[in-house]
Amino acid sequence: FSAAGAFKAKQGRGQICCVGSRKPPWKTRMASSPSAGELLTARPVDEPDFLNSAQLRQLTNHKGKVYGVAWVDSDTLASISQSGQLVLTSVTGEEEARVQLKDSWVMAVGASPNGESIATGGLSNKLTLFARTDPKRSGTAMENDHTGYISSIAWENDNVIWSSSGDKTIKKWDVQTKKCVATLKGHTADVLSISLDRKRNLLASGSADEKVKIWDTISGECLKTLNLDDGDVNSVSFSSNRSLAACTEEGKLFVFNCDFAKITKINVGKRESCHAVALSPIGNTAYVCNGSSLTVCDLTKHNGNDSAGAGNGSNGSNPSGEIANPSAEPDFSIDGKGRISALAIAPDGKSIGTGSWSTEVHVFT
């Protein structure tokens, strides 16, 4: 059983294209967005290098494969595993809580922006909430379950949660009422990952249908569809500078600029799938889990200048922006014990947490 748990709905192979015939609505709320040429600027000297073995620390062990990690705050990492455990650990290695969940196979975890609540989900199809102050006795299931496993969780604010599922949908939940208030439909296979751009009210979703979709979180409308045609889209990630990264089962990393019209495409996996991706806060560096390696990609060296279309159905003349011989190489591998299945960058941008199938959780600080 893979993180996808998915049967692909193949749509045929081809170039990246953008589907849609109208003017992208988000352009009206992007006046302060960086231009395409500003996306990949020089890396600032204070952007930390996470992949330094001297900065690596093992935080904890689970009793099963780790499928998800999420920062509760910049000092505390939450992790969940196949064994049905939720563990909260500080970056110094001190265990704050270890909770045995009712679900035997948990695949997704997310924490509220204020750090007071944690949500989990998995093969039970239920989204469950926990209070950080008393996680062992505070588990509360939301109503109106998904009809498939929960693959990814993202908090829009302290009262709104989004979840993606193997039932091909994305749901929006009200924390106070514990009810689903909206369902996004459009993918034709399992939705594997979601990420939010809170400033622009956008949600990105990656699916086993080989597509990335951009949604308006207010109206629920699908604003744009990006056809990657490169296997399951296992993970998507927005950065604070509004660029978007996606990684695929075929080992490719795609990075889109703020209006999703220009991309960088890097062959990271080298015959291994890419399981998870996270962008540095300013969007100049991508961190990708592929195999047992955590790979760093300096995007300032891989600036794709080819258009992927502007939402008018155009495929572009050469939309891939692919680098023939990219220099993206694994910088560090955690003992090679098992594939690194999850990663997350701390809110302050100073740490990366990872989880692996070897049951271990690590942090780079």
Side-chain angles (χ1 to χ4, degrees):
F1 189 86
S2 68
F7 295 95
K8 296 182 184 179
K10 294 290 184 183
Q11 304 299 313
R13 298 288 176 178
Q15 291 182 315
I16 299 170
C17 62
C18 301
V19 178
S21 58
R22 61 184 182 80
K23 183 178 180 180
W26 63 78
K27 288 184 179 293
T28 62
R29 47 180 196 260
M30 288 179 60
S32 61
S33 300
S35 68
E38 294 172 339
L39 171 61
L40 300 175
T41 57
R43 178 186 294 180
V45 295
D46 60 347
E47 184 167 19
D49 176 12
F50 295 105
L51 301 183
N52 181 328
S53 60
Q55 298 172 311
L56 175 66
R57 180 184 297 110
Q58 181 176 335
L59 294 188
T60 189
N61 265 319
H62 280 260
K63 295 180 179 179
K65 297 176 180 177
V66 179
Y67 277 117
V69 295
W71 290 93
V72 181
D73 53 41
S74 294
D75 296 315
T76 307
L77 185 68
S79 56
I80 48 88
S81 67
Q82 180 184 6
S83 63
Q85 287 189 329
L86 166 66
V87 181
L88 304 183
T89 318
S90 72
V91 292
T92 59
E94 297 174 0
E95 194 168 290
E96 180 178 314
R98 182 178 290 262
V99 183
Q100 187 62 50
L101 308 177
K102 295 180 180 180
D103 301 339
S104 59
W105 198 320
V106 191
M107 301 175 65
V109 63
S112 61
N114 65 10
E116 296 179 0
S117 301
I118 300 163
T120 65
L123 289 188
S124 70
N125 307 342
K126 294 181 180 294
L127 185 68
T128 305
L129 297 183
F130 299 87
R132 181 181 179 182
T133 54
D134 190 12
K136 291 186 177 182
R137 288 184 286 183
S138 62
T140 303
M142 307 293 269
E143 299 179 17
N144 312 113
D145 300 341
H146 280 282
T147 58
Y149 65 91
I150 293 177
S151 57
S152 183
I153 295 169
W155 288 73
E156 182 175 334
N157 53 54
D158 295 327
N159 193 52
V160 175
I161 311 173
W162 292 86
S163 61
S164 62
S165 172
D167 64 11
K168 308 176 187 178
T169 71
I170 302 155
K171 288 183 179 291
K172 180 180 183 179
W173 307 86
D174 185 291
V175 172
Q176 298 300 320
T177 65
K178 305 295 188 294
K179 293 183 179 181
C180 175
V181 294
T183 300
L184 308 184
K185 298 180 179 180
H187 282 292
T188 57
D190 304 39
V191 185
L192 306 177
S193 179
I194 53 175
S195 182
L196 289 167
D197 181 337
R198 297 181 180 89
K199 293 180 180 179
R200 292 189 293 172
N201 299 316
L202 298 179
L203 180 146
S205 58
S207 168
D209 63 11
E210 308 187 23
K211 296 178 175 64
V212 172
K213 287 183 178 288
I214 310 298
W215 308 83
D216 187 312
T217 59
I218 298 176
S219 69
E221 181 182 6
C222 180
L223 304 177
K224 198 161 191 175
T225 297
L226 304 168
N227 296 327
L228 302 192
D229 291 328
D230 199 65
D232 298 354
V233 183
N234 289 328
S235 180
V236 292
S237 174
F238 273 114
S239 71
S240 59
N241 82 334
R242 303 177 180 183
S243 55
L244 173 69
C247 68
T248 69
E249 189 70 17
E250 300 300 320
K252 299 294 194 306
L253 168 67
F254 298 81
V255 182
F256 297 85
N257 71 341
C258 59
D259 61 0
F260 316 108
K262 294 183 182 294
I263 69 163
T264 296
K265 179 179 176 182
I266 301 174
N267 182 15
V268 176
K270 294 186 175 180
R271 300 182 181 178
E272 288 191 280
S273 63
C274 294
H275 324 303
V277 63
L279 287 174
S280 62
I282 62 172
N284 279 348
T285 307
Y287 302 94
V288 186
C289 300
N290 61 295
S292 59
S293 299
L294 176 58
T295 300
V296 60
C297 297
D298 183 352
L299 299 178
T300 64
K301 300 176 181 177
H302 305 287
N303 192 349
N305 294 314
D306 296 309
S307 175
N312 58 2
S314 170
N315 288 341
S317 58
N318 179 21
S320 69
E322 184 171 5
I323 308 300
N325 296 298
S327 59
E329 296 287 345
D331 289 271
F332 189 79
S333 178
I334 302 175
D335 299 331
K337 292 181 180 179
R339 86 170 188 174
I340 304 174
S341 50
L343 82 161
I345 297 180
D348 63 5
K350 296 181 179 180
S351 305
I352 284 184
T354 66
S356 75
W357 280 18
S358 65
T359 75
E360 297 174 351
V361 176
H362 289 81
V363 65
F364 297 89
T365 57

